[in-house]
Amino acid sequence: MIAAQLLAYYFTELKDDKVKKIDKYLYAMRFSDETLMDIMKRFRRELGNGLGRDTNHTATVKMLPTFVRSIPDGSEKGDFIALDLGGSAFRILRVKVSHEKNVHYSLSFCLTMLQSSYLLTWTKRFKASGVEGMDVVTLLNKAIKKHGDYDADIMAVVNDTVGTMMTCGFDDQRCEVGIIIGTGTNACYMEELRHIDLVEGDEGRMCINTEWGAFGDDGMLEDIRTEFDREIDRGSLNPGKQLFEKMVSGMYMGELVRLILVKMAKEGFLFEGRITPELLTKGKFETKHVSSIEKSKEGLTKAKDILGRLGVEPSADDCIAVQHVCTIVSHRSANLIAATLGGILSRLKDNKGNPRLRTTVGIDGSLYKMHPQYARRLHKTVRRLVPESDVRFLLSESGSSKGAAMVTAVAYRLADQRRQITETLAEFRLTSDQLLEVKKRMRTEIQNGLGKKTHDSATVKMWPTYVLSTPDGSENGDFLALDLGGTNFRVLLVKIRSGKRRTVEMHNKIYAIPMEVMQGTGEELFDHIVQCISDFLDYMGMKNTRLPLGFTFSFPCRQTSLDVGILVTWTKGFKATDCEGEDVVGLLREGIKRREEFDLDVVAVVNDTVGTMMTCAYEEPTCEVGLIAGTGSNACYMEEMRNIEMVEGDVGRMCVNMEWGAFGDNGCLDDIRTEYDRAVDDFSLNPGKQRYEKMCSGMYLGEIVRNILIDLTKRGFLFRGQISETLKTRGIFETKFLSQIESDRLALLQVRSILQQLGLDSTCDDSIIVKEVCGTVSHRAAQLCGAGMAAVVDKIRENRGLNQMNITVGVDGTLYKLHPHFSGIMHQTVKELAPKCNVNFLLSEDGSGKGAALITAVGCRMREQEEQKS
């Protein structure tokens, strides 16, 4: 009956003068959203200070690295013992984790508990001497050894906040924040490693234990602390420390209310000014009493009972007033926790670079769980302060002990996963001995390709190009150049002027080669080429001029003269019929004849590699080697005529087009080819051919990576074990993505963005693994290319009988130019494998089109010289 009367009185008289006076009395504990936003900003600054190397030592929020780098992914399994020390009770648990996500607890037989942790300071009334500043794992190991009855492998020491995050993370893999709101308070979250100055490395994430209880120890919160907060602090075991915790946590909330009630009673606002000895006794009004009094139905009844036990005979008016005081104090706590949590959530959102944050916060603690209004108030305030976020709050049902076991389970999973990934990628990590063997085998194949008796069986064909010299600077005239090497076809007008001020002026247009033309008939392909030339001559107004022409034809050709090139085989996706075995210059001339619009003097057909060498040699006379490291891979160099048995004469030099992409087609590289190389080869347009090229060129590296990613996903190491339709699509993982992903300037967040563009929903851990796979595959490619080049430059040095040689290699190709590490790794490999050669690599800025014009100019000069002799 009295409860009903009190409730009726409460609802009718809530706005009376006394309640208004309480609101005014405790106005300093009531915060506007503007104030809470300001506190949130202050906390954000403290997070940054704690993470910074130069500011950590003065920061109050210490942001301690936990070395926990991953949350559970659901595949954890095992049997673990967990210890839980966080208050007056100590728990030992056995935790069994299975794939079915069933977790069973029981005390057990052996103690198996990250592996070093130094206690900064005791809290929660602990004061045991000789522990602060010590490694608690070492102390535990020492005690276990002293006991002598059992052995233990201590895998992890975990803060209860981290344990809470990990426990909730097992059930919800979006959980990346953990909070304790109980006797004490603290928070942890997954921070980007690149922001944690105190830990080496910048890839991945690590859980940070914020130790936010000390927020405000530097005076940052003085403007919102009240006289009651200061009195609480003065009477604590650690004055001046953990000031934020003393404003919000369960250890102090009841005492805060008691101090307020005492002062209000002294001033006549409560209990008719009567003060009992019980009310004056520290600790008599507990936080559990605050929770009971704030219950919506029986709260006023509970208030009467609790106050009665303190020797006070409260009126209904007093009960309402006390309930209102409790509400203000607990609501302030929820608001302050919301502000600091808002700081963490806004930081997570900024780290991810997403317009909206979607995450889960794992929570444990008696205050959050037992207080009837606390959770609702916290959630509501967080959503107001961080409106651009979708936050799920997940209560930890099993406590932080299960989390300690989960940290250990994750550590075991990651260690096993790391071992298996390392074993998988080990096949790509070539040793110095293996690279020297590749160089040796390339030298053997070079020799076979040059020899008359061994040429037919050689994989590296060493085709003579009939280019007998590099430019000497006297080249002069206007030349037309064609460049066919992929899906685009270029037509260029190159104006070369000799003299003291040599100049090269180029005009060009790019034309597409449709797939149906690439894989149609030869006549269709060359008619399309001639149509493009016709359009270009119209564009330049030169259709009536008979220009000398050089044709850069970037496919394997056997040349019998400078202007005769017989196509050996199509590569790079071309399949035009009736071309293989035919002279491509003859096919071009027939196309020009069929059109009957113009005439051209086709002087030379050249490979793009030769064009690159000639372009660079025009700028640097020591350039006698050309290298293409792009969609395809090939090299050429100036060989001594005496060594080229396929061509008569033994005086002077001739450029040899190696066509080294076919190196290994005889099986000589099978010992270093992986299952992923074989898979890429099996599903290519030319199985069994161009094996070396398929290991080191841009056309195939992305596909190798895709095959590895599929395998790792099948084994549960990536993308939560789910192989997307996108990942099943051949060619979807282009090599340009390797260049982007491996960029040193690219954070993992941007790696995830690239993967998401490919339809791959990746976690931070996935991104790290993908980046490692890309780096391993491209590193091997650069090393293999370097081993081949080392064989070439050493061959030239030995040809000339030199102990030491300086030489320049002209280079072109998107892989070499755009990949952030390819060139450096290749250079280093050449340096290590050919130490007697000082090799300068010169990037071809103008492409092979200019080279074709230069070869044409050289060819015209040679032709004039021959005519003069005759």
Side-chain angles (χ1 to χ4, degrees), residues 30 34 91 106 168 282 303 409 538 571 665 671 743 815:
R30 298 169 67 86
E34 184 180 6
R91 290 199 301 164
S106 66
C168 296
K282 182 178 179 179
D538 279 336
T571 58
D665 287 4
D671 59 327
S743 170
L815 186 57

Side-chain angles (χ1 to χ4, degrees), residues 327-556:
T327 298
I328 289 173
V329 172
S330 65
H331 205 153
R332 181 186 75 155
S333 169
N335 281 342
L336 287 172
I337 293 287
T340 48
L341 175 57
I344 289 175
L345 295 174
S346 63
R347 183 172 179 89
L348 277 175
K349 176 180 171 294
D350 290 348
N351 283 350
K352 293 173 185 288
N354 293 336
R356 192 165 190 84
L357 174 70
R358 185 181 177 189
T359 193
T360 296
V361 176
I363 304 190
D364 200 0
S366 54
L367 181 57
Y368 180 88
K369 290 195 283 190
M370 306 304 294
H371 191 287
Q373 314 295 337
Y374 198 97
R376 178 182 59 81
R377 292 170 182 164
L378 173 67
H379 303 171
K380 188 175 180 181
T381 306
V382 167
R383 288 174 180 129
R384 286 204 316 274
L385 296 180
V386 195
E388 62 284 353
S389 62
D390 299 315
V391 182
R392 180 192 181 201
F393 291 89
L394 182 59
L395 184 63
S396 172
E397 300 292 347
S398 310
S400 56
S401 308
K402 173 185 168 184
M406 291 310 306
V407 170
T408 307
V410 168
Y412 269 101
R413 169 178 63 83
L414 292 178
D416 183 59
Q417 175 180 300
R418 169 45 45 200
R419 178 184 59 79
Q420 293 191 54
I421 291 174
T422 299
E423 289 175 357
T424 297
L425 298 180
E427 295 180 78
F428 289 87
R429 297 191 169 104
L430 303 177
T431 65
S432 296
D433 287 344
Q434 286 176 308
L435 291 169
L436 279 168
E437 186 61 30
V438 171
K439 174 191 171 185
K440 180 181 175 182
R441 295 173 191 175
M442 177 68 86
R443 278 295 299 271
T444 299
E445 286 302 301
I446 288 173
Q447 208 61 46
N448 290 340
L450 291 171
K452 185 175 289 186
K453 293 180 180 178
T454 52
H455 177 85
D456 289 344
S457 61
T459 58
V460 180
K461 285 300 183 183
M462 307 298 288
W463 297 115
T465 67
Y466 295 87
V467 174
L468 302 177
S469 69
T470 54
D472 62 5
S474 66
E475 294 75 23
N476 193 77
D478 294 349
F479 307 92
L480 203 64
L482 311 180
D483 187 0
L484 178 66
T487 55
N488 289 330
F489 170 63
R490 284 199 309 160
V491 185
L492 306 92
L493 175 65
V494 183
K495 297 183 176 183
I496 303 173
R497 299 295 179 261
S498 60
K500 289 184 179 180
R501 297 185 63 185
R502 296 187 305 171
T503 61
V504 178
E505 179 185 334
M506 294 196 298
H507 306 269
N508 75 92
K509 283 188 76 173
I510 299 174
Y511 301 89
I513 305 287
M515 184 62 69
E516 61 270 19
V517 174
M518 289 171 60
Q519 299 185 359
T521 66
E523 187 171 304
E524 290 170 340
L525 173 61
F526 280 91
D527 281 349
H528 181 77
I529 289 171
V530 171
Q531 180 185 335
C532 296
I533 297 171
S534 175
D535 176 79
F536 180 78
L537 292 174
D538 279 336
Y539 172 72
M540 296 301 299
M542 301 183 71
K543 221 166 198 177
N544 296 322
T545 306
R546 189 174 187 267
L547 294 170
L549 179 144
F551 187 8
T552 301
F553 190 75
S554 305
F555 302 92

Side-chain angles (χ1 to χ4, degrees), residues 121-259:
T121 183
W122 283 117
T123 58
K124 305 173 187 174
R125 300 199 178 105
F126 275 78
K127 277 289 183 179
S129 62
V131 183
E132 291 185 347
M134 301 295 290
D135 179 6
V136 296
V137 175
T138 300
L139 294 176
L140 179 58
N141 266 325
K142 184 177 179 181
I144 291 170
K145 188 175 181 179
K146 181 179 178 181
H147 196 273
D149 288 353
Y150 55 86
D151 194 12
D153 178 17
I154 302 177
M155 286 293 295
V157 56
V158 181
N159 180 277
D160 55 352
T161 320
V162 181
T164 296
M165 182 189 75
M166 297 297 279
T167 299
C168 296
F170 188 68
D171 299 314
D172 183 343
Q173 289 164 31
R174 289 190 182 275
C175 184
E176 51 191 343
V177 183
I179 299 182
I180 299 290
I181 313 172
T183 306
T185 184
N186 194 14
C188 69
Y189 73 100
M190 297 300 290
E191 177 60 80
E192 300 295 318
L193 200 55
R194 68 183 186 276
H195 295 151
I196 308 173
D197 288 355
L198 299 179
V199 178
E200 290 187 7
D202 58 3
E203 294 186 352
R205 300 197 299 173
M206 181 181 287
C207 180
I208 288 292
N209 167 23
T210 66
E211 290 295 342
W212 74 10
F215 178 40
D217 286 6
D218 58 352
M220 186 174 283
L221 298 179
E222 284 307 300
D223 58 325
I224 64 168
R225 291 177 73 223
T226 66
E227 59 181 289
F228 309 109
D229 297 309
R230 294 185 178 91
E231 189 171 348
I232 285 279
D233 181 44
R234 284 193 298 270
S236 69
L237 290 171
N238 54 349
K241 296 181 179 180
Q242 301 295 108
L243 296 184
F244 179 72
E245 184 172 71
K246 290 169 183 173
M247 296 172 75
V248 300
S249 75
M251 178 174 279
Y252 305 98
M253 186 175 288
E255 185 64 7
L256 268 173
V257 171
R258 186 190 70 81
L259 292 174

Side-chain angles (χ1 to χ4, degrees), residues 662-843:
F663 178 41
D665 287 4
N666 59 357
C668 71
L669 295 179
D670 284 358
D671 59 327
I672 63 169
R673 292 176 75 226
T674 67
E675 61 180 287
Y676 311 104
D677 296 308
R678 290 188 284 273
V680 169
D681 182 36
D682 290 343
F683 288 96
S684 68
L685 289 172
N686 54 348
K689 296 180 180 180
Q690 301 294 108
R691 289 182 177 179
Y692 179 66
E693 183 173 71
K694 288 171 184 172
M695 297 170 76
C696 64
S697 78
M699 176 169 277
Y700 302 99
L701 296 190
E703 189 63 7
I704 294 172
V705 167
R706 187 185 70 87
N707 277 272
I708 298 172
L709 298 186
I710 287 175
D711 181 41
L712 295 182
T713 305
K714 285 179 179 176
R715 292 153 65 185
F717 301 154
L718 280 175
F719 311 131
R720 302 179 179 88
Q722 303 297 313
I723 301 177
S724 66
E725 289 303 314
T726 302
L727 198 56
K728 294 177 186 176
T729 307
R730 283 201 301 275
I732 194 69
F733 205 99
E734 298 176 45
T735 298
K736 68 178 181 181
F737 295 129
L738 271 75
S739 299
Q740 294 171 6
I741 286 170
E742 291 187 64
S743 170
D744 294 329
R745 299 188 302 274
L746 207 63
L748 285 177
L749 178 63
Q750 294 162 293
V751 175
R752 290 181 68 185
S753 176
I754 292 169
L755 295 174
Q756 285 166 357
Q757 291 172 27
L758 293 170
L760 303 173
D761 184 17
S762 71
T763 64
C764 181
D765 293 332
D766 292 336
S767 300
I768 294 172
I769 295 171
V770 170
K771 189 168 185 176
E772 181 183 6
V773 170
C774 291
T776 302
V777 170
S778 63
H779 193 277
R780 184 191 67 162
Q783 286 183 314
L784 286 173
C785 192
M789 185 49 61
V792 171
V793 295
D794 249 357
K795 173 79 165 65
I796 297 172
R797 181 184 62 80
E798 291 175 14
N799 283 348
R800 299 176 188 180
L802 298 173
N803 184 52
Q804 202 75 26
M805 181 184 72
N806 295 329
I807 194 168
T808 297
V809 177
V811 194
D812 201 358
T814 52
L815 186 57
Y816 183 91
K817 289 194 286 190
L818 300 180
H819 191 281
H821 306 300
F822 187 94
S823 60
I825 296 166
M826 192 196 77
H827 297 171
Q828 184 62 30
T829 305
V830 173
K831 185 176 181 180
E832 291 173 0
L833 299 184
K836 294 183 178 181
C837 298
N838 180 24
V839 184
N840 171 43
F841 290 89
L842 180 61
L843 185 62

